[in-house]
């Protein structure tokens, strides 16, 4: 019952309320990032959602578009602005995704939406992460986020697909707040964000 009917309604109501409450923060972060990123406050990118349907994810832009002499983007650590680094540390860059939740592309809780280019790289079990709407936070995020391996992350994602419930979502929601307060697992051991997934 919760999976089929209540989860979507709860997502809509909660994300709408959160957007209203966080609107002053939204405006301040927007202005700061416009200044830091030469007028660009938002990062919009195609991501696969439920049943691998492609949608546009919206996040606050925490990195510049600086490139090297060959036209290739510089490493994440070099493009991460001071404002962007602060925004990422307390997860404010995720706020615009509440709009994705309102639209219905995403859920508050679910496997994180990854790059479209990863789709051909998943094995059959890993593909099951796309049987549900992707989330702003999820079981993998509260169990290591960027500090765990891709394989472990996908194991957590599939576990969530098979075990999702109101109590599971409530647990993830509460643990997410603790993670944000402690600023845990924001980066991997070798990157400012997370290494590219290259397959199994």
């Amino acid at each position: 019952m919760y999976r089929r009917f209540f989860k979507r309604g709860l997502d809509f109501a909660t994300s709408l309320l959160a957007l209203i409450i966080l609107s002053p923060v939204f405006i301040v972060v927007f202005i700061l990032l416009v200044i830091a990123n030469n007028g660009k406050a938002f990062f919009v990118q195609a991501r696969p959602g439920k049943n691998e349907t492609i949608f546009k994810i919206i996040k606050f832009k925490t990195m510049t578009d600086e490139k090297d002499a060959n036209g290739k983007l510089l490493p994440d650590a070099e493009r991460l602005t001071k404002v962007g680094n602060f925004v990422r540390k307390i997860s404010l860059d995720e706020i615009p995704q509440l709009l994705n939740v309102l639209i219905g592309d995403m859920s508050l809780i679910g496997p994180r939406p990854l790059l479209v280019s990863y789709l051909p790289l998943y094995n059959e079990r890993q593909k099951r992460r796309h049987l549900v709407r992707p989330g702003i936070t999820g079981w993998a995020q509260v169990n290591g986020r960027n500090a765990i391996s891709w394989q472990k992350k996908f194991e957590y994602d599939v576990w969530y697909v098979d075990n999702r419930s109101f109590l599971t979502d409530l647990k993830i929601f509460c643990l997410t707040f603790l993670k944000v307060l402690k600023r845990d697992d924001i980066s991997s051991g070798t990157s400012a964000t997370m290494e590219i997934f290259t397959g199994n």
Side-chain angles (χ1 to χ4, degrees), residues 103-188:
I103 294 169
D105 292 328
M106 293 179 64
S107 175
L108 291 174
I109 312 294
R112 284 294 297 158
L114 302 174
L115 299 178
V116 175
S117 59
Y118 292 174
L119 288 176
L121 304 178
Y122 299 134
N123 61 35
E124 289 304 311
R125 178 169 174 76
Q126 291 167 350
K127 286 181 180 180
R128 298 188 67 250
R129 69 191 306 278
H130 293 293
L131 292 177
V132 299
R133 285 188 179 91
I136 294 178
T137 185
W139 190 233
Q141 280 59 54
V142 298
N143 281 286
R145 197 176 175 180
N146 290 332
I148 57 176
S149 69
W150 280 112
Q151 283 68 31
K152 195 66 178 177
K153 186 176 294 188
F154 295 146
E155 286 179 22
Y156 284 133
D157 288 343
V158 175
W159 182 92
Y160 175 80
V161 171
D162 294 334
N163 295 276
R164 63 194 189 281
S165 67
F166 174 74
L167 290 179
T168 300
D169 281 0
L170 183 61
K171 180 178 181 179
I172 293 171
F173 188 81
C174 294
L175 288 174
T176 296
F177 274 103
L178 292 177
K179 285 283 183 179
V180 170
L181 290 174
K182 293 171 66 177
R183 303 179 186 180
D184 281 348
D185 309 320
I186 296 171
S187 303
S188 71

Side-chain angles (χ1 to χ4, degrees), residues 52-140:
E52 300 184 3
T53 301
I54 307 303
F55 72 98
K56 298 286 188 180
I57 195 172
I58 309 168
K59 299 180 70 174
F60 276 131
K61 188 177 178 65
T62 57
M63 292 184 284
T64 67
D65 297 318
E66 292 181 88
K67 299 178 181 179
D68 60 22
N70 298 315
K72 184 179 180 181
L73 285 173
L74 294 173
D76 290 352
E78 295 181 38
R79 294 187 295 118
L80 190 63
T81 63
K82 290 182 178 180
V83 174
N85 187 44
F86 172 76
V87 168
R88 286 190 74 249
K89 279 185 176 180
I90 53 178
S91 297
L92 294 178
D93 57 320
E94 312 288 357
I95 293 177
Q97 289 171 76
L98 292 169
L99 297 171
N100 288 120
V101 177
L102 281 177
I103 294 169
D105 292 328
M106 293 179 64
S107 175
L108 291 174
I109 312 294
R112 284 294 297 158
L114 302 174
L115 299 178
V116 175
S117 59
Y118 292 174
L119 288 176
L121 304 178
Y122 299 134
N123 61 35
E124 289 304 311
R125 178 169 174 76
Q126 291 167 350
K127 286 181 180 180
R128 298 188 67 250
R129 69 191 306 278
H130 293 293
L131 292 177
V132 299
R133 285 188 179 91
I136 294 178
T137 185
W139 190 233

